[in-house]
Amino acid sequence: MDRKKIVILFGGCSVEHDISLESACGVLGALDRERYEPVTVGITREGEWLLYRGGPERIANGTWRFGDCVSAALSPNRGERALLVFEAGGVQKITVDAVFPVLHGENGEDGTVQGLCELAGIPLVGCGTLASALGMDKDRSHRLAALAGVRVPRSFALIQGCDLADVHSRAQQLGYPLFVKPAGAGSSFGVSRVAAPQELESAVREALRYGGRALVEECIPGFEVGVAIMGNRELTVGEVDEIELADGFFDFTEKYQLITSKIHVPARIEPEKASEIKRAAEAVYRALGCRGFARVDLFLTPAGEIVFNEINTIPGFTAHSRFPGMMRAAGLTLAQVVARVIELAVQP
């Protein structure tokens, strides 16, 4: 049987570049080489696309771009389904079957790369252009989730150059403590917990560093839960996980080092509540038009209310990432998950 050639896109010019390298190694390690031939294409922090012909160890340590690399680009010609490789002797074409963007954050998870693939007519692993763009925008994803009947935090959006007096007034209406976060960044970059009015302006400035739009949001009591979902029409849902925090919030350090926090899979909640959480996550997934896979994060309050937090259309794929952990608890290995999401992209 001919192996399908899958472009594994990694790196990217976002603040989550290093996290993408870890996820790419997870995908490559789980890829069934009897069914799929990886074509590894790295995107540097500056945005240069390079076909990388070396092993995953140099991706893991971040030195891949200094290895066996040559400039490359996806052909935009619809129907060609080709990676253009700019060799010394001329341009070579590698016909590919799908593109798997293992990218996090801006310029990769936000619909930009997805739009390029859809323009070129190349099957795309994961969510399409619109769902990816909506998923990265916390304000607009909240609005759609609310229309789908899922509760969302009270919040308001702001932009660079906003009236700080108005921000203070509206924040006072939400009440303290509250959260200020970039409207379109992941991995908790730029997120601040604001306990008092005197901390608000610095938190706003920090959030606006990431894309120029921010969200000021009420603090939801309780704890965070997550739901891993795969599928286009029929959905496969992993076990609900739970984040236990000793202090503070689930910031970048806690997400990737788990210094004081713990992740429980399955979550320590009643089965009926877990089913309710899964239904809410599915409603958000459908409302945003997701396909392939995504992780939906929500809050569970002490009163048992379910509140939507955010959706990750390209969640982490490392051995310790939440998405694989939830699917593993549901009986699926990372290799099975990777194969399934690829088949969802290439199936008729």
Side-chain angles (χ1 to χ4, degrees):
M1 181 176 67
D2 291 336
R3 294 189 298 167
K4 290 183 173 70
K5 289 183 179 175
I6 310 298
V7 174
I8 307 295
L9 270 180
F10 64 89
C13 42
S14 86
V15 292
E16 298 178 72
H17 179 99
D18 291 340
I19 304 161
S20 168
L21 303 186
E22 291 185 46
S23 289
C25 289
V27 170
L28 288 168
L31 197 68
D32 184 349
R33 301 305 175 94
E34 293 185 1
R35 298 171 64 186
Y36 310 111
E37 178 185 344
V39 180
T40 46
V41 176
I43 304 174
T44 68
R45 295 180 191 274
E46 299 73 34
E48 183 182 7
W49 289 43
L50 298 170
L51 173 65
Y52 170 63
R53 296 188 172 110
E57 64 282 348
R58 297 199 69 166
I59 297 176
N61 64 26
T63 63
W64 64 272
R65 66 177 298 182
F66 307 111
D68 186 6
C69 291
V70 60
S71 292
L74 288 176
S75 170
N77 292 338
R78 193 166 186 84
E80 198 168 51
R81 294 188 179 183
L83 181 74
L84 306 179
V85 183
F86 302 98
E87 304 276 10
V91 179
Q92 306 296 320
K93 292 182 180 180
I94 299 175
T95 302
V96 301
D97 295 287
V99 173
F100 192 158
V102 191
L103 302 164
H104 304 307
E106 286 185 296
N107 306 303
E109 193 176 356
D110 56 1
T112 48
V113 166
Q114 290 77 10
L116 174 59
C117 294
E118 291 179 358
L119 177 71
I122 302 174
L124 174 70
V125 179
C127 291
T129 304
L130 180 58
S132 299
L134 290 170
M136 275 292 292
D137 191 313
K138 294 178 176 64
D139 180 34
R140 290 176 172 86
S141 62
H142 279 198
R143 293 171 188 266
L144 285 170
L147 288 173
V150 180
R151 185 190 158 191
V152 300
R154 293 180 301 125
S155 66
F156 63 92
L158 50 88
I159 60 173
Q160 200 82 47
C162 57
D163 182 344
L164 288 175
D166 181 59
V167 172
H168 273 284
S169 175
R170 298 178 73 181
Q172 196 67 44
Q173 293 174 28
L174 289 180
Y176 291 89
L178 50 76
F179 281 91
V180 180
K181 55 184 70 173
S187 293
S188 294
F189 282 106
V191 177
S192 301
R193 184 180 186 275
V194 179
Q198 58 267 28
E199 301 173 6
L200 183 61
E201 291 184 27
S202 61
V204 167
R205 284 194 297 270
E206 174 64 16
L208 288 174
R209 289 177 54 215
Y210 300 89
R213 291 182 64 244
L215 201 64
V216 180
E217 184 177 284
E218 72 169 319
C219 180
I220 301 295
F223 55 89
E224 187 173 328
V225 291
V227 183
I229 302 177
M230 285 193 303
N232 296 341
R233 291 177 294 274
E234 297 182 6
L235 303 183
T236 300
V237 182
E239 290 297 325
V240 177
D241 78 353
E242 169 199 344
I243 297 170
E244 180 187 7
L245 288 175
D247 189 32
F249 68 99
F250 204 45
D251 61 9
F252 178 84
T253 302
E254 288 296 343
K255 281 186 177 181
Y256 296 103
Q257 297 183 33
L258 296 178
I259 296 173
T260 64
S261 58
K262 294 179 182 178
I263 297 177
H264 300 277
V265 191
R268 299 170 299 173
I269 56 178
E270 293 298 320
E272 295 78 10
K273 183 58 67 174
S275 296
E276 188 181 347
I277 290 168
K278 290 178 183 180
R279 289 194 297 272
E282 289 178 18
V284 173
Y285 189 92
R286 301 278 196 198
L288 270 62
C290 296
R291 67 187 305 277
F293 61 96
R295 192 190 76 228
V296 183
D297 296 337
L298 310 104
F299 297 109
L300 181 62
T301 74
E305 289 186 285
I306 298 164
V307 184
F308 173 56
N309 180 21
E310 64 180 5
I311 187 167
N312 290 266
T313 55
I314 307 181
F317 272 90
T318 68
H320 56 269
S321 294
R322 294 172 64 197
F323 186 96
M326 287 184 270
M327 286 298 180
R328 186 165 53 247
L332 296 171
T333 66
L334 183 55
Q336 289 172 316
V337 169
V338 169
R340 177 62 178 149
V341 297
I342 291 174
E343 290 307 309
L344 285 168
V346 299
Q347 69 185 14

